[in-house]
Amino acid sequence: MSTAPGMTAAERDYAQRFDARRKNAAAHWRTALRREFPEARFSVRVDGRDYITASWTGGPSEAQVMAVFRALREEHQGGIPRTLRTRTPEEAEAHKVKTQELANLRQAVEEAEHNTNAAIDDVLSAGQAGVDEAEHAARVEAMDRANEELDRLIAAAEELEAVLKAM
């Protein structure tokens, strides 16, 4: 749980209680699903305020999981979460793969940021050192290529984040 620096003590207390309720809800739902379908392996996460995401391997159909969800939702009137998102084992695996792809892209963005900053420093130092015009132009071109690569990677990461959010 994160809290904003300017939060009052009452706001921090509310945020901590809300976070604890979310974790308790996920644990309660996971336990209920495991009790109902002991042969299956479940992963249950509370996403934001209104969603719970359940994925599993083996055992029940999506309709059977939804029936348990509806019963639990009625049991917890007014509680969180209110909507269940399910993932088949294949969807859960695809989500895991995309999450790893995003981690790799973020690492590539960090490296591209480093390369871009190094290219900028190189152009600045070349200007101060008084290199000839052709050398300076080559360094500027290298800087532009590094910056274009950084922009491409950032756009790819943002696109993949949107895909993951929709999964």
Side-chain angles (χ1 to χ4, degrees):
M1 183 204 59
S2 64
T3 57
M7 290 179 111
T8 66
E11 290 169 330
R12 269 193 306 279
D13 182 55
Y14 174 79
Q16 289 169 344
R17 283 185 286 121
F18 181 77
D19 193 52
R21 283 180 44 213
R22 288 174 20 149
K23 289 177 183 174
N24 288 340
H28 178 74
W29 292 47
R30 190 179 307 109
T31 299
L33 288 166
R34 287 179 180 159
R35 184 177 50 245
E36 189 72 25
F37 309 105
E39 73 283 3
R41 187 166 177 204
F42 285 94
S43 171
V44 180
R45 304 252 186 265
V46 177
D47 303 324
R49 182 183 179 123
D50 296 328
Y51 295 97
I52 188 164
T53 301
S55 57
W56 64 94
T57 55
S61 67
E62 185 172 349
Q64 290 171 307
V65 170
M66 290 300 289
V68 172
F69 167 73
R70 281 189 289 279
L72 287 171
R73 187 177 58 192
E74 289 171 13
E75 180 182 320
H76 294 283
Q77 287 280 333
I80 57 171
R82 294 188 293 268
T83 305
L84 176 68
R85 292 190 270 191
T86 61
R87 290 190 182 124
T88 65
E90 295 80 16
E91 290 168 336
E93 183 60 29
H95 189 272
K96 183 178 173 182
V97 167
K98 293 288 185 195
T99 301
Q100 183 59 50
E101 286 177 19
L102 181 58
N104 294 343
L105 258 176
R106 287 180 176 155
Q107 178 65 37
V109 166
E110 286 181 24
E111 291 171 13
E113 285 174 338
H114 174 75
N115 293 341
T116 299
N117 289 334
I120 291 169
D121 290 344
D122 192 41
V123 168
L124 293 174
S125 66
Q128 293 172 349
V131 298
D132 67 24
E133 198 171 307
E135 176 65 22
H136 189 265
R139 291 180 184 198
V140 168
E141 188 176 318
M143 177 189 69
D144 289 343
R145 281 193 310 272
N147 198 41
E148 287 171 4
E149 176 66 4
L150 176 59
D151 289 344
R152 184 189 69 76
L153 289 169
I154 289 172
E158 288 172 348
E159 184 178 317
L160 190 51
E161 285 173 343
V163 167
L164 275 168
K165 190 173 185 172
M167 289 180 91

